[in-house]
Amino acid sequence: MSPLQPVCAYSPVMMGFFLRTSSLRTALRHRSPHRAFSSAGPTGGSTGDLGSSFRTATSRKLHSGANVPEPSPAAAPTRLPFSTVTGDDLAFFEKILPGRAITDPDLLESSNVDWLKSVRGSSEVLLRPQTTEEVSQILKYCNGRNLAVNPQGGNTGLVGGSVPVYDEVILSTALMNKILTFDSISGILTCQAGCVLENLSSHLEERDYIMPLDLGAKGSCHIGGNVATNAGGLRLLRYGSLRGTVLGLEVVLADGRVLDCLTTLRKDNTGYDLKQLFIGSEGTLGVITAVSILCPRKPKSVNVVFLGCETFDQLLRTFQLCRGMLGEILSAFEFLDSECMRLLNTHLKLPNPISDCPFYIVIETSGSNATHDEEKLHNFLEEAMASSLVTDGTVATEDSKIKALWSMRERVTEALTHDGFTYKYDISLPVEQIYQLVTDMREHLGGRAKSVVGYGHVGDGNLHLNITSPAKDPGLLAAVEPFVYQWTARCRGSVSAEHGLGLKKRNYIYYSKPRQAVALMGDIKAMLDPKGILNPYKTLPDDLK
Amino acid sequence: MSPLQPVCAYSPVMMGFFLRTSSLRTALRHRSPHRAFSSAGPTGGSTGDLGSSFRTATSRKLHSGANVPEPSPAAAPTRLPFSTVTGDDLAFFEKILPGRAITDPDLLESSNVDWLKSVRGSSEVLLRPQTTEEVSQILKYCNGRNLAVNPQGGNTGLVGGSVPVYDEVILSTALMNKILTFDSISGILTCQAGCVLENLSSHLEERDYIMPLDLGAKGSCHIGGNVATNAGGLRLLRYGSLRGTVLGLEVVLADGRVLDCLTTLRKDNTGYDLKQLFIGSEGTLGVITAVSILCPRKPKSVNVVFLGCETFDQLLRTFQLCRGMLGEILSAFEFLDSECMRLLNTHLKLPNPISDCPFYIVIETSGSNATHDEEKLHNFLEEAMASSLVTDGTVATEDSKIKALWSMRERVTEALTHDGFTYKYDISLPVEQIYQLVTDMREHLGGRAKSVVGYGHVGDGNLHLNITSPAKDPGLLAAVEPFVYQWTARCRGSVSAEHGLGLKKRNYIYYSKPRQAVALMGDIKAMLDPKGILNPYKTLPDDLK
């Protein structure tokens, strides 16, 4: 497909697709840099090639440690029999959202395409409600008319969950961007779902608080979208997941009913915790319209240290020592291997800040007392050196050096893009096993790949496995998949640690969840959205639909 | 009812009930002290008296801030048309659980009565499975036979959720007490549901870890029960709720299907997080058979400080200062008022460790470096004194003094029991409002009560409001309720912060949850347990059944 060739309407293009209008280029250019892109890409770059080599969904076996299921295609799903948008529908939308029911194809374009430019839909209308009541009216109408709806936040998702697949009505939270309350005693923030994460962070930092999550996409992503995808990010090791920090949600259900669970209580044991259903459900069970969230105090002191280890076992023992000696001030424990360092040196001309080692660690501390934090770090480093766990290292306390050290971890994916075509996997594993997958993959592939590199969040057991080749290589891909998923399933790992399933990974769910559980997910979907209008083709596998 | 009078079969007795057999006395005597009892009692002591003054459930209005619902009776529900246990049933149970299907009335007694001795059922069989497969067989059979089942852990619940109401089959997790795995790198523990919390704590402490929750009932309560009730406890401020720390669950559904979500991953975004449904559902949606949980490192240093404040506003400002200056080492921020202190002095002869003040604070720090922690504490105390936020205070670093200071907070309820008949409320509120309820209640009651005292977990916005009178006083109760619930509802608080709803509070749910949400809870119950055999009469209000 050439840059100027039109993309087919009603046919999702999974990759290698080029922009056709300058307006889209302009729209995308204005987005903030997306750190998640440079730290952990989706498998989407590869999934478009898989269809023919896979069996159909119905032939898959039940999940179990040893009895690994056969894969199913991630190819485009069939359009479901929803209604199509008519002139009457547009008139209704324009009536309830005057000037905010967008049909101009140029304006629609950036909402039809995902941030990675890997997936696109062909929606003909983008709705921009400002209030929960408007969202309710929209969904009530769409449910009555059997119109499919694609809820959209900042459209920074990495698995094709945030754009329409066909002609779904796009329901954007962009104009629902009001901060409702902030309680400076409890640190509890309440806001509309369309607030941009970075705006919330700025609002809080002026009040000596921070958001409990931080993402590379913070300049664009919406808090509602963060909650809908159960975003992980850089602070999870320290502040835990959104399942603990989100205290309340307001959600509009598929039929327009408003579910008000927007409380601001740390403790509430009155019945089932319904909000948990919507956290991580990727807009398939309801549209989140407001969020209350518990925010931590802003740390007064931050330090970063870059270390080298001879073996991954030493790296794990360093992690253990670190948890003991840095304890409550540890806020990140990341790693990269020597192959990552080689790519950083070769492609980005980033020099290794320490001597060459098989493994590198980035440790961050955040605390309330700079002197104490530095002393703890010093003691830890002395012990780690004395025990020969680490062989070399350097510490940064000032901002510019902190950024330089972090860039060794954050720019690995950028380096990978210069190495060739990249097959990317975002895997969650028991922490002891995260590097074994890289080692086994190297052995499995022999000399077939150009590079096989591993990096990621040791503290969260989250490996980013990347495999490059000079160009797209279906043979290489067939050697990588389903090997990587089967390997993950044998260790009871997750094939999507933090990005969700969206469109691209929906059919891989059986590698990480037993059939019993997936069937129950289907029951929940049917209970909350019987017509299936909310974000169809996402999260749940095709064989449930 | 005299101590030797038999209690009626098939009729739950809500309070004032005395033990009839020495075997029960013996059984209860062997239980560990229940700190939750001495820090926060249920409203159960009062609910038995409410029936006549309340409208029926069907007359209640929808929940909203201003439109507060009318209360409904907490009196005994009508027995639902479940089958009764037959000889054939007992033969089946004995066959699959040889020697572990208990029918001896003396042995059954302690499982029919709750820890507070406030509620009792009349079950005729107690099943003690050892494996998930046995639990599955039991539930499959009971579901087929339409026999109701009461899942039971350590039976330390405070809202009548852990004992049968009528003749439900008791399914105890007591023999499911195996620790399955502990990963000393990630700190992730996996165990069967019947492990006693204290045993898990001991196991972990030997490995330099602690459980992320701590309860007064730890010597008896089971981790499965903790998860089923979403227990809060003393470490929530620091380590967050079980919704964040529980990583995986194995659950047997009402029809015997085993739902295996027992992963040990910190991150897993593959579909809906089903385990959340079972956390806090009080055994009404499934029987938890195994748990995996993320455990923090054992702190190397603990300090406790006891402070006095002139006003509650100063206390809140002290909390704010404390969060900033103690930051990551703050592990508890508790309070009691001068009325509590008066009762401690009068009834327990505990002297005030500082000068008399209207409000007292207990602050605990837990950290990884004693010198640093003490220095932070010192700096904070200097600042708090210099700003005149606190007027007096004392610090403890050694164990005996730490215990003495903690007892000023923990023994308040014990002191209350000496003050007369106590009406108890466990309320969650936005933190700025927690003491206003006490003040308003005092004004509302005038001289009608003997004492009106407030204490609780400031850090969690959790107030324990207690009202005493020389004897049971229906007139006083009528003045307290529904006032207390309406007040709570107006602030969007929770009528059960940490104890759940169980039998006793099931009909008060509408004070904290909108009708829309409760209806959805009913849909979830119907989806997972269509015959309603699992822990009937609990959690959900009578009008849903």
Side-chain angles (χ1 to χ4, degrees), chain A residues 183 267-268 428 432 494 513, chain B residues 183 267-268 270 428 432 494:
Chain A
D183 180 335
K267 285 177 171 176
D268 177 20
S428 197
E432 307 90 307
S494 169
K513 293 285 158 69
Chain B
D183 179 336
K267 284 177 171 177
D268 177 20
T270 54
S428 197
E432 307 91 305
S494 169

Side-chain angles (χ1 to χ4, degrees), chain A residues 105-397:
Chain A
D106 279 355
L107 295 175
L108 267 166
E109 196 72 19
S110 65
S111 291
N112 265 317
V113 182
D114 75 327
W115 184 87
L116 289 173
K117 303 173 230 164
S118 64
V119 183
R120 71 157 304 175
S122 309
S123 177
E124 295 181 346
V125 61
L126 162 68
L127 305 180
R128 292 158 64 91
Q130 291 171 325
T131 66
T132 301
E133 178 53 31
E134 287 175 351
V135 174
S136 170
Q137 284 179 276
I138 293 165
L139 289 185
K140 187 178 176 190
Y141 181 85
C142 290
N143 195 55
R145 277 275 297 127
N146 197 33
L147 287 169
V149 177
N150 164 237
Q152 189 174 79
N155 193 10
T156 60
L158 297 168
V159 288
S162 58
V163 287
V165 177
Y166 291 98
D167 56 338
E168 297 94 285
V169 171
I170 304 173
L171 194 167
S172 165
T173 51
L175 300 184
M176 300 183 71
N177 56 3
K178 287 194 184 61
I179 292 173
L180 304 174
T181 61
F182 178 67
D183 180 335
S184 61
I185 295 174
S186 63
I188 297 168
L189 172 81
T190 312
C191 63
Q192 282 190 298
C195 289
V196 171
L197 181 58
E198 195 165 51
N199 295 346
L200 295 176
S201 294
S202 305
H203 183 83
L204 291 176
E205 288 198 16
E206 289 165 16
R207 288 152 182 84
D208 209 24
Y209 279 86
I210 58 171
M211 288 295 284
L213 77 162
D214 186 25
L215 305 174
K218 63 184 162 193
S220 307
C221 65
H222 295 185
I223 186 67
N226 297 147
V227 174
T229 53
N230 189 29
L234 305 166
R235 293 179 181 158
L236 190 131
L237 175 68
R238 176 67 167 272
Y239 302 113
S241 86
L242 291 172
R243 300 203 171 274
T245 53
V246 171
L247 300 181
L249 290 181
E250 180 188 68
V251 178
V252 181
L253 301 179
D255 61 6
R257 276 178 297 161
V258 179
L259 188 66
D260 179 2
C261 299
L262 194 63
T263 52
T264 55
L265 306 168
R266 281 201 70 160
K267 285 177 171 176
D268 177 20
N269 276 354
T270 54
Y272 312 149
D273 189 3
L274 298 176
K275 70 173 183 286
Q276 297 291 343
L277 281 173
F278 304 96
I279 300 174
S281 66
E282 303 185 77
T284 61
L285 298 180
V287 176
I288 294 170
T289 48
V291 174
S292 77
I293 189 163
L294 183 66
C295 303
R297 277 293 181 113
K298 185 177 167 181
K300 295 193 180 83
S301 139
V302 175
N303 297 292
V304 170
V305 56
F306 194 89
L307 301 173
C309 285
E310 283 303 311
T311 66
F312 198 76
D313 181 60
Q314 286 178 341
L315 185 149
L316 290 178
R317 280 159 58 209
T318 307
F319 177 51
Q320 207 167 3
L321 182 71
C322 183
R323 298 225 316 169
M325 296 191 71
L326 297 181
E328 60 278 4
I329 65 167
L330 180 63
S331 56
F333 193 106
E334 303 278 312
F335 93 101
L336 51 146
D337 64 12
S338 59
E339 279 293 275
C340 293
M341 184 60 80
R342 183 176 62 78
L343 301 186
L344 290 168
N345 300 159
T346 309
H347 301 300
L348 305 182
K349 311 296 174 208
L350 286 177
N352 186 346
I354 60 173
S355 58
D356 285 348
C357 293
F359 296 98
Y360 302 93
I361 307 173
V362 182
I363 294 170
E364 186 192 69
T365 67
S366 306
S368 59
N369 184 307
T371 313
H372 293 170
D373 294 2
E374 281 166 29
E375 202 175 308
K376 283 191 181 82
L377 200 52
H378 176 81
N379 292 343
F380 157 69
L381 290 173
E382 273 209 334
E383 177 68 28
M385 293 285 195
S387 318
S388 301
L389 291 179
V390 302
T391 48
D392 196 8
T394 179
V395 184
T397 52

Side-chain angles (χ1 to χ4, degrees), chain A residues 46-57 59 70-76 474-475 477-478 481-482 508:
Chain A
S46 59
T47 48
D49 302 318
L50 306 184
S52 58
S53 66
F54 286 166
R55 297 190 197 165
T56 61
S59 72
E70 293 298 318
S72 68
L477 181 64
E481 299 183 6
Y508 301 135

